[in-house]
Amino acid sequence: MASITEYYAGKSVLITGATGFMGKVLVEKLLWSCPDVKALYILVRPKAGQSMEQRVSHMMKCKLFDRVREANPDFHKKIIPISSELTQPGLSISPEDVEKLSACINIVFHCAATIRFDEPLKHALQLNVIATQELLSLAQRMHHLEAFIHISTAYANCNRKHIDEVIYPPPVEPKKLIESLEWMDDGIVQDITPRLIGDRPNTYTYTKALAEYVVQQEQDKLNIGIIRPSIVGASWQEPFPGWIDNFNGPSGVFIAAGKGILRTMRANNDAVADLIPVDVVVNLTLAVGWYTAVHRPKTTLVYNCTSGGINPFHWGEIEHHVISSFKRNPLEQAFRRPNANITSNYLINQYWILVSHKFPALIYDLFLRLCGQKPQMMRIFNRLHKAIGLLEYFSSQDWEWNSDNISMLMTGPAGYKGAHYSI
Ligand SMILES: CCCCCCCCCCCCCCCCCC(=O)SCCNC(=O)CCNC(=O)[C@H](O)C(C)(C)COP(=O)(O)OP(=O)(O)OC[C@H]1O[C@@H](n2cnc3c(N)ncnc32)[C@H](O)[C@@H]1OP(=O)(O)O
Ligand SMILES: NC(=O)C1=CN([C@@H]2O[C@H](COP(=O)(O)OP(=O)(O)OC[C@H]3O[C@@H](n4cnc5c(N)ncnc54)[C@H](OP(=O)(O)O)[C@@H]3O)[C@@H](O)[C@H]2O)C=CC1
């Protein structure tokens, strides 16, 4: 049986979301560990005044690609950008590109999504569900497709306490929801969103749950694997320890604490902080691609890519490590000396927000005004409070994820022993 590296040799891979946090690490790891991969087709849109080509060339200059660049200065030749705006009909891929992709792609990794917790429902639905449907239709036109790997989230079913590696019935039939929202204006959709999402905390988890169902519907036609990472953080080992390029999830909170801005946050000290390094998720993704293509499981397998069941770490411990490491390695231009506490008590948290956030911000802004400068601290705190308000749901409770399929992959007859792809 082909090893993972052998499997990818000569294959053409399609990746969505390759310019994102996880997508970039996936591209790098494929190029590094599977140097004989034939080509990586990446769907990219122009953004922020940069053309698709400019964005890709900028991305390849990133430090993340240093080891690949050193091993093969021509590595960029394997990356083939395809212009695509996923929210447009047909993913706005040109007919020539559709033909090209249909003729050559062997494996699809679908990473693109909106991960914003406050995304309006229509947009979250458009990107996370409708674009996924469109990509599945495109995949069905691919003559040599061996596997379609969808990246979901461990929190797609966060309205449950125990989460198995199965696709749960969707909160609503996606097709019906898409049809109903089509004629509603944004104001009406905003009004009914809380009713629709029900016991889920945001449109992100809601639409990711719908997307899983949409993907599963195609299991008779495609060879599918679904990966559900928990809270994806900085790299553990590869391409070097600690790589991260965003403030999503807890990383923004850590930086705010390191800068001495964040002093208090509501979280449960004893709840498991289910963090998972991005390189572990990417290793699993490549292993699942290989397993799905080579073993062709009869039904869609779901992989809960979580750490809490194996190596639990708690928010209380995180607080200790974050603060002590910023004390040892202080950040430049900190507002105050780092010292943050987490509490599960709402009133205590409100008290400290007043005393340690709002009051110092007020004084500092007054000082700025007196110096003839624009006040800014209160604005920063308001944004921080909005962000942590959206995160508290996840730091205040525990979930239990079953991870039998991951164990099967690592130790079962598949013989995946993790060499070069530690998970
Ligand atoms: C020592 C104490 C230790 C305590 C530990 C406790 C930590 C608990 C954390 C729990 C995390 C749980 C995450 C759950 C993950 C689910 C995983 C996933 O599936 S999917 C992945 C999970 N998905 C996500 O994590 C998405 C979450 N993020 C969002 O939905 C949006 O960014 C937003 C609504 C928070 C702000 O929107 P909006 O106002 O339109 O503006 P922008 O977006 O443009 O950002 C504005 C400013 O805010 C900044 N900033 C951003 N994020 C954070 C942050 N986390 N924090 C702080 N700051 C943050 C940002 O840098 C920027 O600053 P600046 O550059 O202007 O100075
Ligand atoms: N980060 C995390 O903690 C977790 C993430 N996940 C899942 O992992 C996947 C990747 O997440 P992550 O890398 O963190 O997210 P990022 O936000 O970093 O990346 C999202 C990617 O999707 C692309 N994208 C977004 N909108 C469009 C669009 N309209 N057209 C074309 N491309 C678009 C982005 O492209 P562009 O650069 O052009 O914006 C980017 O490449 C997602 O499916 C997410 O749900 C799951 C669990 C946790």
Side-chain angles (χ1 to χ4, degrees), residues 29-99:
K29 176 75 184 195
L30 257 170
L31 292 167
W32 173 253
S33 290
C34 311
D36 293 328
V37 65
K38 187 167 177 198
L40 306 185
Y41 290 82
I42 60 174
L43 298 190
V44 186
R45 56 178 172 168
K47 194 176 162 185
Q50 284 194 306
S51 67
M52 172 188 79
E53 291 80 7
Q54 284 169 325
R55 293 192 68 200
V56 175
S57 125
H58 182 74
M59 174 177 117
M60 287 186 290
K61 287 188 190 125
C62 169
K63 189 173 166 47
L64 180 75
F65 290 92
D66 278 359
R67 67 174 181 178
V68 173
R69 198 178 303 108
E70 223 165 88
N72 173 15
D74 284 338
F75 80 97
H76 59 274
K77 290 189 180 152
K78 291 213 172 178
I79 300 180
I80 304 170
I82 301 281
S83 174
S84 170
E85 166 52 63
L86 297 177
T87 54
Q88 295 303 307
L91 311 174
S92 77
I93 304 179
S94 73
E96 300 76 50
D97 283 339
V98 168
E99 214 159 285

Side-chain angles (χ1 to χ4, degrees), residues 16-24 43-47 55 84-88 110-116 123 127-128 150-155 204 208 227-233 245-246 248-250 276 281:
T16 70
T19 50
F21 173 45
M22 220 184 284
K24 277 200 276 259
L43 298 190
V44 186
R45 56 178 172 168
K47 194 176 162 185
R55 293 192 68 200
S84 170
E85 166 52 63
L86 297 177
T87 54
Q88 295 303 307
H110 180 32
C111 302
T114 168
I115 64 165
R116 294 182 66 92
H123 189 254
L127 190 51
N128 294 351
H150 172 72
I151 310 295
S152 183
T153 162
Y155 297 94
Y204 170 67
K208 290 296 272 190
I227 299 174
R228 289 185 185 145
S230 49
I231 303 171
V232 184
D245 70 348
N246 63 71
N248 291 328
I276 190 106
V281 180

Side-chain angles (χ1 to χ4, degrees), residues 122-185:
K122 256 191 183 179
H123 189 254
L125 195 70
Q126 185 69 47
L127 190 51
N128 294 351
V129 184
I130 301 175
T132 301
Q133 258 171 349
E134 295 261 14
L135 189 68
L136 288 159
S137 307
L138 175 62
Q140 283 172 39
R141 297 175 60 176
M142 296 173 179
H143 309 303
H144 307 290
L145 191 69
E146 294 166 14
F148 182 102
I149 308 302
H150 172 72
I151 310 295
S152 183
T153 162
Y155 297 94
N157 302 289
C158 59
N159 54 331
R160 295 170 180 267
K161 282 285 159 219
H162 179 92
I163 299 160
D164 283 318
E165 291 175 306
V166 298
I167 315 278
Y168 291 100
V172 58
E173 173 63 48
K175 200 163 156 243
K176 284 194 186 142
L177 181 69
I178 293 164
E179 281 166 7
S180 335
L181 294 194
E182 226 161 55
W183 61 267
M184 289 186 203
D185 69 34

Side-chain angles (χ1 to χ4, degrees), residues 4 29 33 236-238 276-287 305 406 409-410 416-423:
I4 300 182
K29 176 75 184 195
S33 290
W236 169 40
Q237 292 175 316
E238 290 188 273
I276 190 106
V278 63
D279 46 339
V280 172
V281 180
V282 161
N283 286 344
L284 177 76
T285 302
L286 291 175
C305 181
I406 304 240
L409 199 60
M410 286 169 78
Y416 165 53
K417 296 287 181 261
H420 306 299
Y421 301 92
S422 318
I423 53 178

